[in-house]
Amino acid sequence: MWLRSGRLFDAIRASISLPLFFTPVPYKGIHLIDGGVLNPVPIAPTFNDDTDITIAVSLGGPPGDILDDLDENKPDDESKSMRKRIASYLTELRSSKNSGETDRIGAYDIADQAFDAMQGAIARHKLAAYPPDIVIEISRNACGTFDFDRAAQIIGLGHRKAHEALLIHSN
């Protein structure tokens, strides 16, 4: 399902709804989870559009990106509110880890790694079957599922990688 209108927060919340991590989002009588569960690189919607170039972003690149404190994306008030809610959730998650609930967190860590492995395999197959004009690869170790607090760094990395890929393509 492609959400093309409505609140951006609702679309983002649906997009981060991963089994075992975030509950599905009710929407028009159905429950939505992240489309990346089955389609981490959604290239198919571009097949019949009238674009000059197709760019795909793969989050399963080889390990190696080191994030520095790129702070070029200053949060607005709505982002700050969202960041506070996410920070509160992460604090609660971390405190439960420190309070002796290590089995629960261990299970989440295993599920997270399994999910990343599955998404990486699906993404590689999609990119091989439907190669885009440009692939922007982000190292699979650049961030983790719960690294919301590093958004500015990750966005900065994305900007840098996109710039590099577009420069290479234009030459």
Side-chain angles (χ1 to χ4, degrees), residues 63-145:
D65 285 325
I66 298 171
L67 296 179
D68 47 11
D69 287 328
L70 297 172
D71 209 10
E72 44 190 78
N73 298 294
K74 304 289 183 197
D76 58 19
D77 289 339
E78 187 175 346
S79 296
K80 288 177 186 175
S81 172
M82 169 82 86
R83 290 174 103 175
K84 284 181 185 178
R85 289 191 290 185
I86 291 169
S88 172
Y89 173 78
L90 293 173
T91 300
E92 184 179 317
L93 186 64
R94 288 177 184 134
S95 70
S96 68
K97 183 176 185 175
N98 295 332
S99 70
E101 295 182 39
T102 54
D103 291 342
R104 179 175 155 233
I105 298 302
Y108 278 103
D109 290 338
I110 291 166
D112 186 35
Q113 290 176 19
F115 182 76
D116 284 347
M118 289 184 295
Q119 276 200 312
I122 293 169
R124 284 189 300 278
H125 286 95
K126 291 273 187 182
L127 290 170
Y130 310 105
D133 299 305
I134 298 175
V135 176
I136 299 171
E137 276 199 324
I138 306 295
S139 297
R140 64 180 165 264
N141 67 327
C143 66
T145 302

